[in-house]
Amino acid sequence: MSNSKYLWWNGSQMPWEDATIHVTDIGWSTVGAIFEGIRAYWNEDDQEAYVFRLPEHMKRFEQSMKLVRLEQEYSTEMLTETILELIRANEHREDIYIRPLAYRAGGAGGGFSSFSSKAGILIDTSPRPTHLKTGKKQDACVSSWTRISDNVMPPRVKNISNYRNGQLATMEANINGYDVPLLLNDQRKIAEGPGACVMMVRDGKLITPGVTDSILESITRDAILQIARDDLGLVVEERPIDRTEMYIADEAFMCGTAAEITPVVSVDRYQLGDGNVGPITSQLEDIFLGVLRGTDSRHPDWRTPVGLKQLAKA
Ligand SMILES: *Cc1c(COP(=O)(O)O)cnc(C)c1O
């Protein structure tokens, strides 16, 4: 994969090749690092890209930094503007992924205990086409690994260290022939996948674990609950989900910035519905893609225009 032309690092936009660190800096610097995964979607008719829920992502970035005790040297407003500038500089006229990362700066050594609160910040962007409506579907299993809980490593924020938990579960699932693991929390209820939340449909209701069930507080999850309730008129429930409820669900899907909506068609080889993408999942995918691209005018406050249209005119 070829990289974008520019990235932003510690206060300046620079050529991708120029942003280098010494090899001894890797290791402990990422233990307390946090990041955001954000997407922007290209609208051909508008000749514009729209960033999905940018203020919400940047608010979570700020909260994540606070939680891992990193000092915020740059304001959230400044970082938000920086992201839009970077996308314009890279002239991304396509669907993209945007990743701001805050890590513990201050050089090599020191281990994890002599921590400094000084943050290094990196923002990079890369092409990432949507897989919504492409027919992608997954076979899931219930993992033998337990999802981290709030007094172990806070699951609600995107801390790099948290992903070791999801990585172990994914490796196990893949070796055993499944696409994606579902992790149970320490209450032995369904929490989420390794990098995405999970929802199921039972008797026409959309059901997903609550924000205190050891899940990441997903912005996509929140958007889909709103779409289901307001645009589709569905009953939505946020509540603990038993493992065996997943087995008899009519439909299920993963959701998140990376996962978007990814249909799950079996859990532990129990087929859900007829084994195809279910009707409610399919409807949600339709509306969600339209809202993301701005071809559907609903939820305009979720779309931040990048300013590529003006750039083309100038
Ligand atoms: C990023 C992430 C999600 C999805 O969150 P969004 O805000 O929708 O992108 C869910 N679970 C985990 C573990 C994640 O890292």
Side-chain angles (χ1 to χ4, degrees):
M1 202 175 71
S2 69
N3 55 268
S4 301
K5 209 165 170 196
Y6 301 106
L7 54 68
W8 187 94
W9 189 31
N10 295 334
S12 17
Q13 187 174 293
M14 61 180 75
W16 196 89
E17 295 75 19
D18 293 355
T20 57
I21 57 163
H22 193 261
V23 67
T24 55
D25 279 351
I26 62 173
W28 296 117
S29 65
T30 60
V31 169
I34 59 92
F35 73 102
E36 267 308 311
I38 310 170
R39 281 201 200 229
Y41 292 82
W42 177 243
N43 182 314
E44 186 65 32
D45 288 341
D46 294 357
Q47 289 293 302
E48 182 60 284
Y50 297 103
V51 186
F52 184 61
R53 305 194 76 176
L54 183 57
E56 289 89 339
H57 278 284
M58 296 316 288
K59 184 175 176 200
R60 190 170 65 193
F61 190 70
E62 192 181 321
Q63 290 174 342
S64 297
M65 285 186 76
K66 176 176 178 176
L67 206 58
V68 299
R69 300 187 196 278
L70 283 175
E71 264 165 36
Q72 196 170 355
E73 189 180 335
Y74 307 100
S75 73
T76 297
E77 295 69 37
M78 189 263 181
L79 292 175
T80 302
E81 200 38 56
T82 294
I83 286 175
L84 298 173
E85 265 169 37
L86 182 62
I87 302 171
R88 290 194 293 266
N90 282 324
E91 297 189 62
H92 285 297
R93 291 185 165 79
E94 61 207 324
D95 297 347
I96 60 163
Y97 187 77
I98 306 146
R99 187 195 56 168
L101 173 86
Y103 61 95
R104 219 163 274 289
F112 62 87
S113 52
S114 68
F115 64 88
S116 127
S117 58
K118 185 166 169 50
I121 295 190
L122 162 71
I123 305 172
D124 63 350
T125 62
S126 52
R128 181 88 68 108
T130 183
H131 62 252
L132 284 163
K133 305 303 290 182
T134 59
K136 180 175 178 181
K137 48 191 188 180
Q138 294 187 315
D139 294 307
C141 62
V142 174
S143 182
S144 72
W145 296 96
T146 300
R147 174 75 176 146
I148 49 169
S149 57
D150 201 45
N151 56 357
V152 176
M153 298 205 283
R156 73 187 67 255
V157 293
K158 297 182 96 73
N159 183 329
I160 294 282
S161 298
N162 289 356
Y163 293 85
R164 182 64 184 130
N165 183 226
Q167 192 180 49
L168 283 166
T170 303
M171 284 171 169
E172 179 192 57
N174 291 351
I175 286 168
N176 291 335
Y178 299 95
D179 301 310
V180 66
L182 299 175
L183 288 91
L184 303 179
N185 61 26
D186 60 6
Q187 305 298 305
R188 316 309 290 152
K189 301 293 181 188
I190 296 284
E192 63 176 331
C197 288
V198 63
M199 298 198 182
M200 68 169 180
V201 176
R202 281 193 73 191
D203 302 323
K205 285 187 209 160
L206 186 66
I207 308 167
T208 194
V211 289
T212 52
D213 286 338
S214 293
I215 67 164
L216 184 123
E217 290 191 346
S218 159
I219 293 163
T220 312
R221 170 188 175 281
D222 175 75
I224 288 166
L225 289 177
Q226 286 192 54
I227 289 172
R229 200 183 306 123
D230 302 343
D231 305 331
L232 283 181
L234 295 179
V235 173
V236 305
E237 286 181 2
E238 295 174 63
R239 62 156 178 85
I241 293 180
D242 280 343
R243 166 185 197 147
T244 53
E245 284 189 282
M246 292 299 311
Y247 297 163
I248 55 172
D250 302 315
E251 304 178 31
F253 57 87
M254 310 305 300
C255 69
T257 300
E260 301 177 306
I261 291 174
T262 306
V264 169
V265 293
S266 74
V267 180
D268 285 343
R269 305 288 180 219
Y270 288 98
Q271 179 181 296
L272 307 189
D274 64 3
N276 292 308
V277 179
I280 289 178
T281 306
S282 180
Q283 267 182 304
L284 284 168
E285 277 194 69
D286 277 328
I287 299 177
F288 193 43
L289 185 57
V291 166
L292 292 167
R293 280 209 197 293
T295 50
D296 184 324
S297 62
R298 286 175 282 190
H299 308 287
D301 48 323
W302 289 350
R303 290 182 293 275
T304 302
V306 168
L308 286 161
K309 194 179 180 171
Q310 258 101 325
L311 200 69
K313 275 199 216 122

